[in-house]
Amino acid sequence: MAERILMKGNEAVAEAAIIAGCRCFFGYPITPQNEIPEYMSRRMPEVGGVFLQAESEVAGSNMVYGAACTGARVMTTSSSPGISLMQEAISYMAGAELPCVIVNIVRGGPGLGGIQGAQSDYFQATKGGGHGDYRLLVLGPSTVQELVDLTMEAFDLAELYRNPVMLLGDAILGQMMEPVEMRERQPRADLPPKTWATTGAMGRPKNVITSLYLDPAKLERHNLRLADKYRRMAAEQVRYATHMTEDADVVLVAYGTTARIARAALERARERGLRVGLFRPISLWPFPYEALAAATAGASRVLVVEMSLGQMVEDVRLACGDTKPVHFYGRTGGMSPSPREILDEIVKIVEKGA
Amino acid sequence: MQKVFGRPEALADVPTHYCPGCTHGIIHRLIAEVIDELGVRERAVGISPVGCAVLAYDYFNCDFVEASHGRAPAVATGIKRASPNTVVFTYQGDGDLASIGAGEIVHAASRGEKITVIFVNNAIYGMTGGQMAPTTLPGQRTTTSPRGRDPEVAGHPIKVCELLSSLSGPAYIARVSVTNPANVAKARRTVKKAFETQLDGKGFSLVEFLSTCPTNWGLSPVDALKWVDDKMAVYYPLGEYTKVPEVG
Ligand SMILES: Cc1ncc(C[n+]2csc(CCOP(=O)(O)OP(=O)(O)O)c2C)c(N)n1
Ligand code: SF4
């Protein structure tokens, strides 16, 4: 078994990426993720990789686009306002089908907002963000170990589907220190060869990477083909975890950092004899609709807990339909809910029968 | 019989969409000839802009990437850093390079990025129908400066070679035109120097072409060439702006 070491979430992401074969990193400083570019600036030269601090997130994400064109394993990391600037390149990379990993260590918004952890970029991450009909694979880890494991896996998934993959963390997870295992890892064996890469047309016909289709019929065909791929991703990449949902009367739905807090609330509720369970989506796109419907089938109510004004509630309602009330408790602007507050909310909805 | 003139291998055998009298086509040919002459077609990766040259990837017979508007220098940076053995060139218009992409070109130049930039300055936005560009001359009429560009309102035209040559990063910067055979020959030598600068690992190189847009200038092809000589070349003097010192 690999040794367990104490690491900060942000630094763990960086090391995990290097272990996964990431050899190009482009980024621009923004709190609360600065430890990632700082770590990369130290480590990349040691492993023969590229670290470059870009002049902006716009440039940095377009450097990612360029490096991805060569077939390199490439990553960028940022936080909310920076991710907004990256949406241009993200849309282009989705359109041109380029693999890359993008980490968003979310902070409170809108606008310049603050620097504390938040989950208010859920819509931006899962419903688009950039222009056009496209999807990102979006993963929401809740522990530093999971952050490490999903970062590593993200590089494979990006190449498997030729699509950008986003990790959605938050300032709390990025700044938190936890023991982690850094296991050596080889890319999975079934990844398609990168015959499309633009590294010079040596001994082969030229390759072109573009997202331009001036003929609307061709553009529609391209979009429909992408849609097929998104359907495949949706079928193959649903990830979630449940805790004590089997006998639950109230099911909490929370992801990332909030899921940990919700779990603490669940334990206190159980001590009081309240039958509470937790459903934790790990893939935020594709959202685990069917699994959530199944996990809440026996419950009489659902409580969504988020560090936002309730962005995931829409997906939870889609999963549950009209079968039962879906309640929401959230803090926003960089505030996080406490287990006590969540427990109070559980008691309130149970007692009032709301 | 000996063949003395033909299509360069680096130029695809397809018709282009450029308007009659537009010098984009000549500029394409010069680049292709230089790529052939240097024997780097199989290492070359071109980056096309958003603008009239958006389809340049169809016209060159080498690997190509389409960048978003203005970001070609950043995309080129990513390609060159990830794959240093490639010979990377961007092909950008004035709106692309000097307006929306002003930040990207300044920083790529300042970093001394080992890429070659072909900058096509036609003093107007061609593709979107003739709006004002950052390089539009004072008094020049465009669809968004219908009374002529007034620097008091719209600011002054940007002299890209002069601006970038004030930086320490660039190794070779020059401005050329293709208004007559002598200028074409000089332009070809200049493009070759720019690519050689990259191949020698010396750093960033840029060639600005004063180019025509008869369509949006509302001039005949011949008058358009004359306008380049009489008006543009006065505001934007031809010549070499930054040169690496010859090591002798
Ligand atoms: C983000 C973005 N903004 C605006 C446009 C629209 N647009 C397409 S081409 C162009 C101007 C190009 O002008 P220039 O770079 O001078 O090249 P030319 O067409 O003259 O060759 C603009 C504004 C776009 N495609 N993307
Ligand atoms: S619009 Fe102007 S720049 Fe574009 S192809 Fe026509 S003449 Fe050339």
Side-chain angles (χ1 to χ4, degrees):
Chain A
M1 201 176 85
E3 188 192 355
R4 278 161 76 81
I5 39 174
L6 193 64
M7 272 188 111
K8 205 177 204 183
N10 282 337
E11 297 190 333
V13 168
E15 189 57 34
I18 290 171
I19 291 174
C22 171
R23 288 297 177 272
C24 289
F25 181 92
F26 304 94
Y28 186 83
I30 183 168
T31 309
Q33 61 81 55
N34 288 325
E35 293 85 356
I36 306 177
E38 286 166 0
Y39 191 96
M40 285 298 196
S41 71
R42 263 196 327 273
R43 285 283 283 132
M44 275 303 198
E46 291 172 7
V47 296
V50 174
F51 167 85
L52 186 59
Q53 182 169 322
E55 63 269 30
S56 68
E57 289 85 353
V58 174
S61 52
N62 279 285
M63 290 171 188
V64 169
Y65 176 102
C69 286
T70 71
R73 288 205 152 180
V74 54
M75 176 167 87
T76 187
T77 61
S78 191
S79 181
S80 312
I83 297 288
S84 290
L85 283 179
M86 290 182 178
Q87 295 302 339
E88 174 192 73
I90 293 173
S91 165
Y92 273 74
M93 287 191 284
E97 296 190 86
L98 291 171
C100 72
V101 175
I102 302 153
V103 180
N104 184 0
I105 301 296
V106 182
R107 62 190 237 182
L112 201 45
I115 59 167
Q116 308 301 327
Q119 294 181 317
S120 44
D121 295 356
Y122 180 90
F123 281 153
Q124 187 196 47
T126 62
K127 312 291 178 202
H131 59 286
D133 273 329
Y134 76 89
R135 291 294 189 175
L136 299 184
L137 203 55
V138 184
L139 305 172
S142 83
T143 64
V144 177
Q145 184 67 56
E146 202 177 20
L147 194 55
V148 163
D149 296 343
L150 291 180
T151 298
M152 291 187 185
E153 213 178 334
F155 285 94
D156 280 357
L157 294 174
E159 286 179 14
L160 188 64
Y161 297 107
R162 281 185 63 185
N163 207 68
V165 176
M166 179 176 280
L167 264 87
L168 201 64
D170 70 84
I172 302 170
L173 192 59
Q175 298 298 323
M176 166 190 298
M177 285 186 92
E178 284 187 312
V180 285
E181 244 180 55
M182 287 282 175
R183 302 177 199 93
E184 278 308 313
R185 187 175 198 285
Q186 294 302 319
R188 52 190 274 182
D190 60 345
L191 296 177
K194 294 170 190 162
T195 50
W196 44 266
T198 49
T199 49
M202 186 79 80
R204 59 156 167 79
K206 71 171 178 178
N207 281 338
V208 171
I209 291 175
T210 182
S211 55
L212 177 69
Y213 297 85
L214 286 173
D215 174 349
K218 283 192 182 145
L219 180 55
E220 185 180 53
R221 264 206 302 286
H222 172 64
N223 275 312
L224 292 176
R225 198 175 55 72
L226 291 181
D228 270 344
K229 177 171 86 173
Y230 301 145
R231 267 192 289 278
R232 201 151 34 85
M233 283 156 67
E236 295 167 357
Q237 296 304 329
V238 174
R239 291 150 193 253
Y240 61 92
T242 56
H243 183 59
M244 306 184 92
T245 48
E246 297 76 12
D247 66 337
D249 177 43
V250 178
V251 173
L252 304 176
V253 186
Y255 71 95
T257 299
T258 314
R260 302 171 69 138
I261 308 171
R263 191 168 162 146
L266 174 152
E267 271 148 27
R268 293 191 195 179
R270 286 271 169 181
E271 281 164 19
R272 289 205 188 182
L274 293 165
R275 282 181 295 120
V276 176
L278 172 66
F279 185 92
R280 178 168 76 89
I282 297 171
S283 57
L284 302 175
W285 195 90
F287 191 83
Y289 293 108
E290 286 170 24
L292 178 55
T296 55
S300 66
R301 44 186 49 78
V302 172
L303 175 63
V304 183
V305 189
E306 286 182 80
M307 294 193 290
S308 81
L309 288 172
Q311 300 191 10
M312 188 173 65
V313 171
E314 295 184 8
D315 282 322
V316 174
R317 288 222 168 94
L318 275 176
C320 296
D322 293 334
T323 57
K324 55 187 60 72
V326 172
H327 301 271
F328 169 69
Y329 179 73
R331 301 294 303 270
T332 184
M335 298 295 288
S336 40
S338 68
R340 171 88 243 165
E341 287 165 359
I342 299 171
L343 179 62
D344 287 350
E345 200 62 26
I346 295 168
V347 171
K348 196 169 92 190
I349 63 173
V350 171
E351 283 179 357
K352 294 210 175 130
Chain B
M1 207 168 69
Q2 197 197 350
K3 185 171 171 183
V4 292
F5 195 74
R7 180 179 287 277
E9 197 189 355
L11 206 58
D13 190 4
V14 293
T16 69
H17 70 284
Y18 299 115
C19 309
C22 176
T23 44
H24 266 306
I26 301 175
I27 300 165
H28 279 26
R29 181 172 176 112
L30 293 182
I31 298 166
E33 284 179 0
V34 167
I35 289 174
D36 279 7
E37 192 177 326
L38 295 172
V40 294
R41 190 186 68 79
E42 292 182 319
R43 286 167 63 192
V45 183
I47 296 148
S48 40
V50 166
C52 280
V54 68
L55 294 174
Y57 54 74
D58 282 342
Y59 307 148
F60 286 94
N61 183 17
C62 64
D63 277 4
F64 241 87
V65 173
E66 170 60 39
S68 55
H69 198 23
R71 316 295 175 228
V75 174
T77 299
I79 294 172
K80 187 74 182 188
R81 295 283 180 129
S83 185
N85 197 39
T86 49
V87 177
V88 181
F89 68 101
T90 73
Y91 189 102
Q92 303 178 256
D94 44 72
D96 193 80
L97 181 142
S99 197
I100 190 169
E104 283 74 19
I105 193 66
V106 166
H107 285 274
S110 177
R111 282 193 302 269
E113 215 56 69
K114 294 179 185 64
I115 59 171
T116 299
V117 173
I118 304 295
F119 170 41
V120 181
N121 176 2
N122 58 11
I124 207 157
Y125 283 17
M127 191 198 214
T128 42
Q131 296 85 6
M132 189 185 73
T135 48
T136 293
L137 296 180
Q140 185 184 339
R141 286 174 197 270
T142 72
T143 59
T144 51
S145 58
R147 285 175 289 278
R149 180 179 188 151
D150 176 1
E152 281 295 317
V153 178
H156 297 269
I158 294 180
K159 297 179 176 180
V160 168
C161 289
E162 289 83 339
L163 178 75
L164 296 183
S165 60
S166 74
L167 302 169
S168 309
Y172 185 67
I173 292 185
R175 184 181 286 130
V176 299
S177 77
V178 289
T179 52
N180 57 50
N183 282 345
V184 171
K186 206 182 283 173
R188 191 180 187 284
R189 286 196 296 277
T190 306
V191 171
K192 191 170 169 202
K193 268 197 209 171
F195 273 90
E196 281 169 346
T197 302
Q198 177 178 177
L199 287 169
D200 295 347
K202 288 181 184 152
F204 179 88
S205 54
L206 177 143
V207 180
E208 172 174 345
F209 281 84
L210 301 186
S211 186
T212 56
C213 183
T215 304
N216 289 300
W217 293 352
L219 295 176
S220 73
V222 173
D223 287 345
L225 289 172
K226 200 166 143 35
W227 197 81
V228 171
D229 283 339
D230 295 350
K231 297 285 189 334
M232 282 186 79
V234 172
Y235 197 92
Y236 300 113
L238 305 183
E240 292 184 316
Y241 285 81
T242 301
K243 272 202 287 191
V244 263
E246 299 288 335
V247 190

